[in-house]
Amino acid sequence: MSLSQAPKGEAMLVTRVAVDDKMRRHLGNLGILAGSELIPLAYSDGNMIVRVHDARIAIDSTVAENIIVRKMPSFA
């Protein structure tokens, strides 16, 4: 699923970032890259706020559509 479809408050694992190289580098510098964990915190007009590590980052709706995530596996 895309990040824009991710449920609020649930830990998500980034599986793919399908953007151009410049945006991929920018997101990577922010900590958003394949294998990273993020948590959607708030949605507003398609845009969103996510928590990555200890930072809160605003993500544009177009970019969020191109970040592919899945729920973090839970280990018991």
Side-chain angles (χ1 to χ4, degrees), residues 2-55:
S2 71
L3 179 57
S4 60
Q5 300 168 323
K8 182 175 153 185
E10 288 194 35
M12 305 302 289
L13 177 68
V14 177
T15 58
R16 187 169 61 124
V17 181
V19 295
D20 63 37
D21 289 338
K22 182 177 178 182
M23 180 58 72
R24 184 175 288 115
R25 276 192 307 275
H26 176 66
L27 292 172
N29 289 335
L30 295 173
I32 301 173
L33 45 108
S36 63
E37 177 184 342
L38 51 83
I39 300 172
L41 298 176
Y43 296 92
S44 176
D45 298 325
N47 301 320
M48 59 192 315
I49 304 291
V50 297
R51 186 172 73 203
V52 179
H53 303 292
D54 290 330

